[in-house]
Amino acid sequence: MATKLMHALIYDRYGGGAAALKYVQVPIPIVKKDEILVKIEAASLNPLDWKLQSGIARPFSPRRFPHIPGGLAEYAVAKEKLTVVRPSEISAAEGAGLPIAGLTAYKALTQCAGLNLDGTGEHMNILITAASGGVGHYAVQLARLGNAHITATCGTRNIELVKSLGADEVLDYKSPDGAALKSPSGRKYDAVLHCATGIPWSSFEPNLSENGKVIDITPGPSTFVTFVLNKLTFSRKQIVPMILTPRGEDLAQFVKLVKEKKLQTVIDSTYPLSKAGDAWAKSMDGHATGKIIVQAYK
Ligand SMILES: NC(=O)c1ccc[n+]([C@@H]2O[C@H](COP(=O)([O-])OP(=O)(O)OC[C@H]3O[C@@H](n4cnc5c(N)ncnc54)[C@H](OP(=O)(O)O)[C@@H]3O)[C@@H](O)[C@H]2O)c1
């Protein structure tokens, strides 16, 4: 029987950025036990996609080439227990942002920061850095649901958007107060969801409440050094490295909130699968507002 083919983006070595992606035809993947075949209407790019291509996790991921990154194909296999049926109220493009960026914001705020999304529990002051990005824009909306006081950082052009998503005060990250992460109303943060990169612990520490914690979703060597030093010195202020381990139950909860229109996906831009290289370059540029979407079918 002839093998059925699909369109996909592939790369066949580490490095090379968008120019190394090839739009080709490859066999439709074969499902194994506990997996399902998913027809991909839309996918979203995450910085992890191009970081893996650059070799950040070599030789563990990708383990072999050619590699299809981040669902950039017409079909993909997925573990059934990690999937959720997309409700008709959520478009494919909007749904594409939820499994990684949305779930990262959800896990960081609910499980790491301890925020109750029904607004019960202790009132929290929360800082969200890079609040205009893929993770940050979901985080602002979730923190709003949890009735937190939200301070956010983003670039000048996105200040009004981030306010409209629910932030109480917004700092331009290029301004002196923004760089110092200072709350304009003088609040100390109980939790920081750190979605930007390159901000040292010394900038966070003076702005934290007594038991404040920074949830670092891009943990590097300095995160782990600070984590250990804080433990050794019995500091009540903490840094928490977080890497998402997706769970179907969490995704179902999160999808329910989107279905109920309690939060939305902000879409930066949409590309057809054949032009996913342009989407890749845009993500690498680091200036997306919300999510970059690739559509296999319109
Ligand atoms: N731990 C995990 O499991 C996990 C999961 C998902 C993502 N991540 C990581 O989380 C980080 C954020 O991901 P993302 O998808 O949200 O990124 P993204 O969408 O690419 O972020 C882009 C946005 O960040 C803003 N920005 C950049 N530097 C900033 C700064 N210093 N202060 C304030 N805003 C800044 C940009 O604003 P301008 O355009 O105005 O510069 C842009 O709007 C990445 O490092 C990613 O790898 C980790």
Side-chain angles (χ1 to χ4, degrees):
M1 201 171 73
T3 310
K4 287 204 173 143
L5 298 178
M6 64 174 186
H7 288 103
L9 264 284
I10 60 159
Y11 59 84
D12 48 22
R13 61 183 167 87
Y14 290 116
L21 295 175
K22 295 174 194 161
Y23 182 60
V24 295
Q25 286 201 306
V26 295
I28 291 177
I30 295 164
V31 291
K32 298 193 212 106
K33 194 169 171 276
D34 305 328
E35 290 179 341
I36 56 169
L37 184 67
V38 180
K39 181 176 173 179
I40 301 183
E41 293 171 281
S44 79
L45 288 186
N46 291 287
L48 183 65
D49 296 322
W50 47 263
K51 290 180 188 178
L52 288 175
Q53 183 201 28
S54 75
I56 191 177
R58 96 166 66 185
F60 304 107
S61 183
R63 227 181 277 177
R64 61 182 84 88
F65 296 108
H67 174 73
I68 302 174
L72 296 183
E74 290 177 288
Y75 293 89
V77 289
K79 289 264 181 247
E80 187 171 10
K81 67 175 187 186
L82 296 180
T83 63
V84 170
V85 173
R86 173 171 65 81
S88 58
E89 292 86 348
I90 304 177
S91 72
E94 184 168 33
L98 310 183
I100 300 291
L103 218 48
T104 301
Y106 179 87
K107 181 176 169 182
L109 289 175
T110 58
Q111 293 164 27
C112 300
L115 183 74
N116 291 343
L117 296 183
D118 58 6
T120 61
E122 274 187 33
H123 181 264
M124 297 180 83
N125 294 324
I126 294 185
L127 168 69
I128 297 163
T129 64
S132 52
V135 179
H137 88 284
Y138 288 121
V140 172
Q141 298 175 77
L142 287 167
R144 180 79 283 133
L145 287 179
N147 211 16
H149 182 278
I150 306 163
T151 309
T153 70
C154 66
T156 325
R157 69 196 168 92
N158 285 317
I159 287 177
E160 289 312 313
L161 169 79
V162 170
K163 277 189 186 157
S164 75
L165 295 175
D168 296 289
E169 47 192 24
V170 185
L171 294 162
D172 175 351
Y173 74 92
K174 291 187 176 147
S175 70
D177 278 353
L181 306 174
K182 270 202 179 333
S183 155
S185 57
R187 285 173 164 80
K188 298 285 180 191
Y189 309 120
D190 303 305
V192 178
L193 176 44
H194 182 28
C195 305
T197 54
I199 300 177
W201 173 250
S202 57
S203 298
F204 290 116
E205 200 274 337
N207 294 300
L208 293 176
S209 65
E210 211 180 324
N211 293 309
K213 57 169 87 159
V214 175
I215 298 142
D216 188 352
I217 62 168
T218 315
S222 66
T223 313
F224 292 101
V225 170
T226 307
F227 175 82
V228 171
L229 281 176
N230 286 351
K231 293 279 170 208
L232 289 175
T233 55
F234 301 104
S235 167
R236 294 171 75 172
K237 299 178 182 179
Q238 297 173 51
I239 193 158
V240 180
M242 190 203 114
I243 301 289
L244 177 71
T245 312
R247 295 195 315 179
E249 312 88 271
D250 293 339
L251 185 59
Q253 287 297 322
F254 189 63
V255 166
K256 188 164 169 279
L257 294 174
V258 182
K259 180 183 165 182
E260 291 166 355
K261 306 284 176 216
K262 290 187 174 152
L263 71 165
Q264 53 160 317
T265 299
V266 171
I267 295 179
D268 174 271
S269 44
T270 306
Y271 298 80
L273 183 59
S274 58
K275 295 264 186 270
D278 294 343
W280 196 267
K282 169 99 198 194
S283 177
M284 288 186 76
D285 194 37
H287 294 295
T289 299
K291 294 300 298 172
I292 300 169
I293 305 295
V294 172
Q295 281 188 317
Y297 297 94
K298 292 239 176 188

